[in-house]
Amino acid sequence: MVPFLDLQAVNHQYHQELKDACARVIDSGWYIMGNELTHFEAKFSAYCGTKHAIGVANGLDALILVLRAWKVLGKLKAGDEVIVQANTYIASVLAITENDLVPVLVEPDVDTYNLDPELVRAAITPNTKAILPVHLYGQLSPMPELMAIAKEHDLLVLEDCAQAHGAEIEGKRAGNWGDAAGFSFYPGKNLGALGDAGAVTTNNDELAQTLKALRNYGSHKKYENLYQGVNSRLDEIQAAMMRVKLPYLEKETARRQEIAQRYRAGINNPLVILPQVVSESAHVWHLFVVRAEAREKFQLWLTEQGIQTLIHYPIPPHKQQAYPQFRDYQLPLTEQIHKQVLSLPMDPTMSNEAVAKVIDAVNGFKA
Ligand SMILES: *Cc1c(COP(=O)(O)O)cnc(C)c1O
């Protein structure tokens, strides 16, 4: 069996260092908002090239709290429109609606699954106040074009970097393009904690200070509350785990890119549409997503060949029961994508033999 992602194997690579870091936290007697977090935030902002990284409890909170902070700072108000691609994971949309903002779902570029600058431009109304580009599957959105549109129309840009740690265009990494970015360190993400964790990156001092208060009950100073905040802190244990794993991220990304290269060179089945790559460094391959018209049959075939696959994602946000108000939206491209996508195994610990086995199985599929 070729597993989709063997998390046990991923973390086993560092098991002694992880155990030592865990013991260090246990013995420190300090479990929330301490040295581990401060160190991790400094290392992660340096990795992204940003002035600040603010640890929070998970990726969804990172996105929610940036939008919340912009409301607190008077940059957004309830009812403002936020443009986002319709084929994203539901978290990006939840972050918008949680803040009483209005998601404007636009069709993606079908080749990259990311925002299409022309369709963004066409979706702008007088109520549009922000763009939320999701670097889906690990490929950076067309940020130079999107930032130019944002500047022209005075829009805020919040990057959803949950799948794109380290992706770069023109030497500038995900999380360092927009006004702010949300990262997830869910265990299966490219940089994964051993539980839930997330972070915001930004170069804006005022936003960073506001977020540091919002994540901690709205408090800058113990028992003094500036805002009606939340409890969304990144634990010392998780910060310690990621301090261990962050130095290896570059190596793991390189391996993901190598696996993707092998898939792209080896898969030549006309029934299977391969992902398109803007540039090698722009894609960190959180997922290797292909499309097939006969997706269910294709997935069944791969299962029979001992290849585990997943679907990211089976139901688009506008068709979810959670959002009856979007049910009648006409988004044919997004719906087609959700019917056709299939994610092949992508795991930095995969052997070249396993990669070859996947390629053979994909090429052996017949209509
Ligand atoms: C994983 C993910 C999130 C949410 O992150 P959590 O840490 O699970 O809350 C947000 N957006 C995208 C695109 C994701 O893949």
Side-chain angles (χ1 to χ4, degrees):
M1 235 278 285
V2 180
F4 179 75
L5 170 65
D6 185 348
L7 264 185
Q8 191 180 26
V10 170
N11 287 320
H12 186 77
Q13 300 175 98
Y14 319 118
H15 77 123
Q16 196 52 52
E17 278 187 81
L18 291 169
K19 284 176 185 167
D20 292 346
C22 203
R24 183 174 75 222
V25 176
I26 293 169
D27 293 342
S28 75
W30 192 277
Y31 307 114
I32 287 173
M33 304 280 265
N35 276 333
E36 300 291 342
L37 177 61
T38 307
H39 277 104
F40 174 69
E41 287 176 337
K43 292 285 185 207
F44 192 66
S45 61
Y47 176 83
C48 295
T50 58
K51 200 164 168 193
H52 304 281
I54 301 100
V56 294
N58 55 65
L60 174 58
D61 277 5
L63 298 171
I64 289 177
L65 289 175
V66 170
L67 295 173
R68 177 98 179 256
W70 282 337
K71 286 175 80 183
V72 163
L73 293 169
K75 295 179 185 233
L76 290 178
K77 60 176 189 319
D80 286 346
E81 292 174 3
V82 181
I83 293 174
V84 63
Q85 72 247 50
N87 56 316
T88 184
Y89 177 55
I90 196 149
S92 331
V93 183
L94 286 171
I96 298 169
T97 54
E98 173 71 20
N99 277 291
D100 300 317
L101 302 163
V102 178
V104 175
L105 304 170
V106 301
E107 295 267 47
D109 176 331
V110 72
D111 290 329
T112 63
Y113 309 107
N114 280 336
L115 278 177
D116 176 335
E118 284 320 305
L119 296 182
V120 168
R121 215 179 264 284
I124 293 173
T125 75
N127 294 326
T128 307
K129 291 293 177 301
I131 309 176
L132 203 166
V134 185
H135 309 316
L136 208 63
Y137 308 146
Q139 179 151 249
L140 204 59
S141 307
M143 293 313 292
E145 293 82 356
L146 293 175
M147 292 314 293
I149 294 172
K151 198 167 171 205
E152 195 181 315
H153 294 270
D154 197 20
L155 308 176
L156 294 160
V157 176
L158 168 56
E159 296 171 70
D160 183 339
C161 296
Q163 306 188 355
H165 316 66
E168 60 182 60
I169 290 177
E170 297 166 9
K172 195 167 169 176
R173 283 187 162 155
N176 193 16
W177 281 92
D179 298 286
F183 282 87
S184 166
F185 308 118
Y186 178 79
K189 298 290 162 84
N190 286 28
L191 176 60
L194 276 70
D196 274 313
V200 173
T201 56
T202 181
N203 291 309
N204 185 297
D205 297 338
E206 190 187 35
L207 178 65
Q209 291 316 313
T210 308
L211 284 164
K212 282 184 179 179
L214 280 178
R215 73 175 171 186
N216 189 28
Y217 295 109
S219 168
H220 275 277
K221 203 173 153 195
K222 204 161 192 181
Y223 306 125
E224 289 185 20
N225 303 81
L226 290 173
Y227 316 111
Q228 295 168 29
V230 297
N231 176 351
S232 180
R233 300 174 297 221
L234 198 169
D235 292 349
E236 289 289 281
I237 283 273
Q238 297 308 336
M241 299 299 98
M242 287 187 296
R243 278 182 72 190
V244 169
K245 292 181 74 179
L246 179 58
Y248 299 106
L249 178 57
E250 211 131 351
K251 192 188 75 183
E252 290 201 357
T253 300
R255 179 60 185 152
R256 286 175 185 273
Q257 288 168 334
E258 199 179 307
I259 293 165
Q261 191 56 48
R262 284 172 183 262
Y263 278 160
R264 286 163 62 213
I267 295 173
N268 55 18
N269 188 330
L271 300 173
V272 176
I273 302 170
L274 286 169
Q276 288 203 20
V277 180
V278 173
S279 76
E280 297 302 325
S281 62
H283 211 321
V284 295
W285 300 103
H286 173 58
L287 298 169
F288 192 96
V289 178
V290 298
R291 295 208 318 276
E293 242 169 74
R295 194 255 315 271
E296 318 308 332
K297 199 176 159 194
F298 181 39
Q299 184 173 36
L300 191 63
W301 162 259
L302 291 176
T303 306
E304 286 165 5
Q305 307 306 306
I307 313 292
Q308 191 188 10
T309 58
L310 293 174
I311 296 169
H312 298 93
Y313 299 89
I315 306 171
H318 72 284
K319 292 292 181 195
Q320 296 287 355
Q321 273 195 42
Y323 286 124
Q325 66 269 42
F326 303 144
R327 196 164 295 150
D328 297 330
Y329 277 26
Q330 298 295 310
L331 295 160
L333 199 55
T334 295
E335 286 165 33
Q336 183 196 334
I337 288 171
H338 284 75
K339 286 192 187 96
Q340 297 185 341
V341 285
L342 190 68
S343 306
L344 301 182
M346 176 49 80
D347 178 332
T349 69
M350 251 175 117
S351 68
N352 288 342
E353 291 69 44
V355 176
K357 192 174 165 199
V358 175
I359 293 170
D360 286 345
V362 170
N363 288 340
F365 174 63
K366 292 180 192 69

